[in-house]
Amino acid sequence: MKVGYIRTSTAEQHTARQEVLMQELGVEKVYVDQLSGKNTERPQLRAMLNYVREGDTVIVESISRFARNTKDLLELVEQLKEKNVTFVSKKETIDTNTPSGQFMLTVFGAMAQLERAYILDRQREGIAVARAAGAYKGRQPIEIDAKAFESVYKAWKAKEITAKRAMQKLGLKPNTFYRRVKEFESGK
């Protein structure tokens, strides 16, 4: 069975181009994730890895859609190999059924990781230049009404609401919530 895996970095990005490719290749089942590829803990990737069986072929548009670094790429392909599942990347014309495909997988994986590192370096350099010019302010702190925070904090401490509910009421993620709690308790 041909099984496709599609990924975009955000829900706002379109999967149409990858979907058309899957149709053209006769892919029978497709899994789609619309979130960062920075790690392999993606729901549809995990579901696809659990679904595939011996003799199946996993097809991706490019290795960058499958993994962000060589280590993850090789680990994912190894998981497929253990199940006797072939991996095919159309952009790089990689097919792990062949020795040259296995070699090229490693080479292209390393190149993709290098390109990602270059992008991050350029981003850091750009931020440093913008910061020096006074044009980069960084991420703006989340504004929270002090009275609203104190009210929710007291309800949470009195065990009237859970931490999760407190975070929902304040619109905060866990790290921000607990950092604000620490600041509040220390009197900052």
Side-chain angles (χ1 to χ4, degrees):
M1 173 181 245
K2 290 182 179 179
V3 178
Y5 178 73
I6 293 174
R7 184 186 66 79
T8 61
S9 296
T10 67
E12 290 79 33
Q13 293 176 330
H14 299 286
T15 59
R17 181 178 54 84
Q18 294 178 67
E19 288 173 5
V20 167
L21 175 66
M22 296 299 160
Q23 287 175 352
E24 289 172 356
L25 297 173
V27 171
E28 300 158 72
K29 187 160 180 69
V30 177
Y31 291 85
V32 180
D33 275 317
Q34 291 193 282
L35 58 142
S36 172
K38 68 183 173 187
N39 66 46
T40 59
E41 293 308 313
R42 292 173 255 147
Q44 291 300 298
L45 174 63
R46 290 283 134 216
M48 186 267 305
L49 290 170
N50 289 330
Y51 176 81
V52 292
R53 302 288 180 257
E54 183 174 345
D56 288 348
T57 299
V58 169
I59 300 174
V60 297
E61 182 266 337
S62 70
I63 57 175
S64 67
R65 301 295 89 209
F66 196 55
R68 271 277 195 65
N69 61 57
T70 309
K71 178 180 173 278
D72 287 349
L73 175 65
L74 296 177
E75 285 176 0
L76 289 168
V77 171
E78 185 59 32
Q79 288 176 43
L80 294 174
K81 188 177 176 182
E82 288 171 4
K83 292 178 136 188
N84 291 317
V85 172
T86 302
F87 174 78
V88 172
S89 174
K90 292 312 287 179
K91 183 177 182 180
E92 297 86 3
T93 59
I94 293 172
D95 182 339
T96 59
N97 251 353
T98 67
S100 62
Q102 292 170 9
F103 170 73
M104 292 308 292
L105 176 72
T106 306
V107 171
F108 279 115
M111 288 173 56
Q113 183 175 343
L114 179 63
E115 179 57 25
R116 179 75 184 139
Y118 283 157
I119 289 168
L120 292 174
D121 281 347
R122 288 191 302 266
Q123 183 181 35
R124 279 190 288 273
E125 289 167 3
I127 289 171
V129 168
R131 190 173 275 143
Y136 183 81
K137 306 292 185 219
R139 189 172 180 175
Q140 299 301 311
I142 297 170
E143 296 295 325
I144 304 170
D145 178 77
K147 288 183 181 181
F149 181 83
E150 186 174 353
S151 171
V152 171
Y153 170 83
K154 286 179 179 176
W156 172 63
K157 278 302 210 180
K159 299 193 185 320
E160 295 168 7
I161 61 171
T162 64
K164 186 174 183 176
R165 182 69 185 125
M167 290 175 221
Q168 288 172 339
K169 283 179 162 247
L170 296 169
L172 299 177
K173 303 262 188 213
N175 287 348
T176 307
F177 175 74
Y178 288 112
R179 186 175 62 250
R180 294 293 171 95
V181 164
K182 187 176 177 182
E183 291 168 0
F184 183 78
E185 291 175 343
S186 67
K188 287 185 179 178

